[in-house]
Amino acid sequence: MSKKIILIFITLGFYLGIILVSDFEKFSSNVSQFKIEFLSIILALNFSVLLIKGFRQHIILKKLGISISNKDNLMLYFAGLSMLVTPGGTGQIIKSYFLKNKFGIQISKSFPLIFVERYNDLIAIMTIITIVLVLIQNYELLLAALVMWIIIILIYSAFRSNKIYKKFELIFNKVGFLKKRINGFSRSYYGLQTTTSKKMMAKNWFFSIVAWSIDAIAVYFVFLGFNQNLDFVYTTFVMYTSLLVGFITLLPSGLGVTELSFMGLLTSKGIEISLAASIIIMIRLTSIWFATVIGLLTTKVFLKDRFDNKHDPKVT
């Protein structure tokens, strides 16, 4: 049994556990009262988020010297979503595998893509969380956010530091089996430096902020669908704080931690646990699992055409 299927069963089991604990009858009642007309709006918003992030990927690939058509880029991005439910979404490194098999691009050349994408997502989420914390005047959590910003800056310094690169290069040259991979490592590290220049960071930050802001609007519509007209700032705070907590745990999509954190924040606001469970499950189904299904369907196309009609991308 593949790991994907096992993870799906674990997820279904976890969601079933939440439903049973929160009272199945109340949960069913909440879902039945959901305003179905909001579903198309929510899915459209979430799909637009994927399109924006796909465009961001195109910008990063070009900076890495990888030029593929807009169609192939979008298909590549969608295919990568099949591995979205992995620790920190790092399983999307499968995109490097697709680039190698379909376009003959070395994995070491495209390897930085996933890290740069995840890093920009983290910055965008932290930007939104920081703004929200200032607006709701939660200065205790604002201090915690400051710690995250320090970590983000340290990671950026590591990307840009030639001293750190030299130390890794020294290690690679001293270890036999790593010495053979020094060229690939150098290529990947150079790619990281190229895609984290100030101009690139500003550009990717902009598209990331737009994408995650639309995502926050989609979350707000889920609340409205359940007749919960809470403040937009608060719903954004609840969702993004929960996502960040789940991200830090490095569990696949923060499974379990994100949901429980979300429900805890809502129940502290006086919302029944059954309703909180209904909201978070709907959010997860229309966002991460919606994207995963798109990814799985697109992956079939990529695998089917792997040896057909080889493209000849312009690699500089």
Side-chain angles (χ1 to χ4, degrees):
M1 186 179 294
S2 70
K3 291 182 179 179
K4 287 183 183 178
I5 295 176
I6 292 174
L7 184 58
I8 289 173
F9 275 115
I10 291 174
T11 303
L12 291 174
F14 175 75
Y15 286 166
L16 180 60
I18 290 180
I19 294 170
L20 293 175
V21 170
S22 65
D23 191 314
F24 181 76
E25 289 187 6
K26 289 184 178 180
F27 177 87
S28 300
S29 177
N30 292 328
V31 173
S32 65
Q33 292 175 30
F34 179 79
K35 297 178 181 177
I36 196 66
E37 61 268 23
F38 282 99
L39 186 59
S40 59
I41 298 174
I42 294 165
L43 292 178
L45 288 170
N46 284 327
F47 189 72
S48 68
V49 169
L50 301 182
L51 293 177
I52 293 170
K53 289 185 178 181
F55 180 71
R56 182 188 64 180
Q57 173 188 269
H58 202 48
I59 294 174
I60 297 172
L61 285 177
K62 279 192 173 182
K63 197 64 177 178
L64 289 170
I66 301 170
S67 181
I68 58 179
S69 69
N70 291 326
K71 178 185 175 181
D72 286 329
N73 170 73
L74 198 58
M75 290 290 284
L76 175 67
Y77 182 77
F78 285 164
L81 295 173
S82 64
M83 297 299 289
L84 188 60
V85 188
T86 51
T90 52
Q92 290 184 75
I93 197 67
I94 195 174
K95 290 190 284 191
S96 289
Y97 167 82
F98 288 136
L99 284 169
K100 184 179 188 305
N101 282 274
K102 286 187 67 66
F103 306 109
I105 297 168
Q106 293 174 307
I107 289 178
S108 58
K109 189 178 182 67
S110 62
F111 191 73
L113 171 64
I114 181 61
F115 294 101
V116 174
E117 286 182 318
R118 296 286 71 75
Y119 183 66
N120 278 284
D121 283 336
L122 178 59
I123 292 176
I125 290 173
M126 282 307 303
T127 300
I128 294 173
I129 287 177
T130 302
I131 292 172
V132 168
L133 289 175
V134 170
L135 291 174
I136 65 177
Q137 298 181 345
N138 191 323
Y139 298 113
E140 291 182 357
L141 287 179
L142 200 56
L143 289 174
L146 179 60
V147 174
M148 280 300 302
W149 278 114
I150 293 173
I151 294 173
I152 287 172
I153 292 171
L154 290 174
I155 294 173
Y156 181 76
S157 299
F159 286 165
R160 307 294 299 172
S161 174
N162 286 321
K163 289 183 178 179
I164 293 178
Y165 165 73
K166 291 295 182 182
K167 288 182 179 180
F168 274 112
E169 187 179 45
L170 186 62
I171 294 172
F172 269 65
N173 281 320
K174 286 184 176 180
V175 181
F177 72 95
L178 290 178
K179 192 173 183 178
K180 298 177 182 179
R181 295 172 174 78
I182 185 65
N183 290 332
F185 171 74
S186 298
R187 192 179 297 113
S188 293
Y189 201 90
Y190 175 74
L192 275 177
Q193 290 195 322
T194 302
T195 52
T196 54
S197 65
K198 291 180 180 179
K199 184 177 180 180
M200 277 294 293
M201 289 299 296
K203 188 181 295 185
N204 287 325
W205 175 84
F206 171 76
F207 287 111
S208 300
I209 284 291
V210 172
W212 284 100
S213 296
I214 294 174
D215 181 81
I217 295 172
V219 168
Y220 182 65
F221 269 102
V222 173
F223 275 89
L224 292 180
F226 282 104
N227 295 303
Q228 297 301 305
N229 193 14
L230 297 177
D231 185 77
F232 173 71
V233 172
Y234 183 74
T235 60
T236 302
F237 162 74
V238 171
M239 189 67 246
Y240 279 25
T241 300
S242 301
L243 281 176
L244 183 61
V245 172
F247 180 83
I248 293 172
T249 63
L250 293 181
L251 289 169
S253 293
L255 180 63
V257 177
T258 297
E259 286 83 357
L260 293 176
S261 174
F262 183 93
M263 290 169 63
L265 288 170
L266 284 186
T267 52
S268 67
K269 189 77 173 178
I271 294 177
E272 285 189 356
I273 188 171
S274 59
L275 180 56
S278 304
I279 294 172
I280 185 57
I281 290 178
M282 180 63 73
I283 289 173
R284 298 293 256 176
L285 288 176
T286 56
S287 56
I288 188 168
W289 290 107
F290 170 63
T292 300
V293 169
I294 290 176
L296 291 172
L297 293 175
T298 310
T299 298
K300 287 188 176 182
V301 176
F302 260 68
L303 292 177
K304 180 181 178 181
D305 297 337
R306 188 170 68 181
F307 302 108
D308 299 332
N309 301 320
K310 290 284 186 178
H311 293 257
D312 184 23
K314 299 176 181 178
V315 181
T316 59

